[in-house]
Amino acid sequence: MSDPEPSWPLWVDLPLRRTHADGRPRTPPRGRQILMVFGPPGSGKGSHCPRVGELLGVPHLSTGDMLRAAVAAGTETGLRAKDAMQAGALVTDDLVVAVVVDRLAEPDCENGCVLDGFPRTEAQAVALDDALAKRGNQKVTKVIALDVPDRALTARVCGRWVHEKSGRSYHVDFAKPASLAALPAGAAPTPETMRDDATGEPLARRADDTEEALATRLQAYHAQSAPVLAHYDNAGCVARVDGDRPPEQVWAAIEDVLAA
Ligand code: AP5
């Protein structure tokens, strides 16, 4: 049997660097952190956010994951969100704001959170600012904006497979699960060959990971979400990271921002 093809290291295995290049120790920021990771579909938010949450000791709140869980559970929120999500359109502001405000009220968010995929409209940003202000003058502490050009996103999104329960994200070329990497080159990605590294359970494709839905998602991103960055630029808390390079380099840059 031939050697397994090389694969990107799994996100969870990317090393945490304990020191700066000049040897000074890195210390994660202290105090309540309300951090946001921002970027177009496929830019790496879901890949890096769990690691950021782990580093800061706060939960990772992905509105996409929360809405997909609601769809899978058939709740009223899920029923209202399902069609828009499948088509790649944004769900309504009132729906997603209610989901996030409820989640922020849970005790594990006391010391902060990592927001992934929220806010995506100016109205959501204003609602978030209001909700945080009411919780003892809190505000967003940092926004990490992942810059990735549209041309790189199709291959990422259309090759993605996910572990639905955990939200762990894999890719047929860029982040193979061990199950596919162990097979000879050219093995087809199927639920049999694409299995979660941690649980061995089959991975799945997302309903909105099609070229057609991606076009709608990118349109929504550029028209409605990208302008939200200006809202936080005014507050001076945006750090831009080049996300169009190998994952370990993107992670190193994110760590630099967190330790700055
Ligand atoms: P959501 O789940 O948030 O999707 P999204 O924003 O479109 O982002 P993705 O999850 O597609 O991408 P990602 O940046 O997490 O990329 P990933 O790390 O997986 O939202 C889905 C839907 O829910 C929306 O369309 C909307 O309908 C609704 N919704 C959610 N929030 C909402 C809100 N606030 N308001 C209204 N509606 C809302 O990476 C992608 C792939 O690339 C992976 O396979 C990964 O392995 C690979 N990859 C990652 N980084 C690299 C790299 N550096 N090099 C090579 N490959 C890489």
Side-chain angles (χ1 to χ4, degrees), residues 42 45-47 63 68 89 117 120 160 170 206 217 245:
K45 303 182 295 295
S47 297
T63 44
R68 276 185 290 278
R120 290 193 199 208
R160 168 168 52 193
Y170 298 83
R206 263 172 51 176
R217 287 158 67 191
R245 46 190 171 156

Side-chain angles (χ1 to χ4, degrees), residues 13-128:
D13 292 335
L14 293 178
L16 289 175
R17 289 174 304 147
R18 303 285 174 199
T19 56
H20 289 277
D22 62 7
R24 281 176 302 121
R26 285 168 179 274
T27 44
R30 294 209 174 88
R32 185 181 285 118
Q33 292 294 317
I34 299 172
L35 197 126
M36 185 188 303
V37 179
F38 192 89
S43 55
K45 303 182 295 295
S47 297
H48 293 289
C49 280
R51 195 82 170 128
V52 174
E54 186 188 321
L55 191 65
L56 302 182
V58 296
H60 162 213
L61 271 49
S62 156
T63 44
D65 286 349
M66 290 190 265
L67 291 168
R68 276 185 290 278
V71 171
T75 64
E76 195 190 330
T77 297
L79 291 174
R80 287 178 60 197
K82 187 175 180 184
D83 289 346
M85 290 181 76
Q86 187 148 350
L90 295 183
V91 309
T92 57
D93 289 333
D94 62 329
L95 193 71
V96 76
V97 166
V99 167
V100 173
V101 169
D102 283 355
R103 182 64 184 88
L104 283 174
E106 290 182 25
D108 64 337
C109 293
E110 182 58 31
N111 291 325
C113 61
V114 180
L115 292 167
D116 164 0
F118 181 89
R120 290 193 199 208
T121 64
E122 182 69 24
Q124 292 177 20
V126 170
L128 175 65

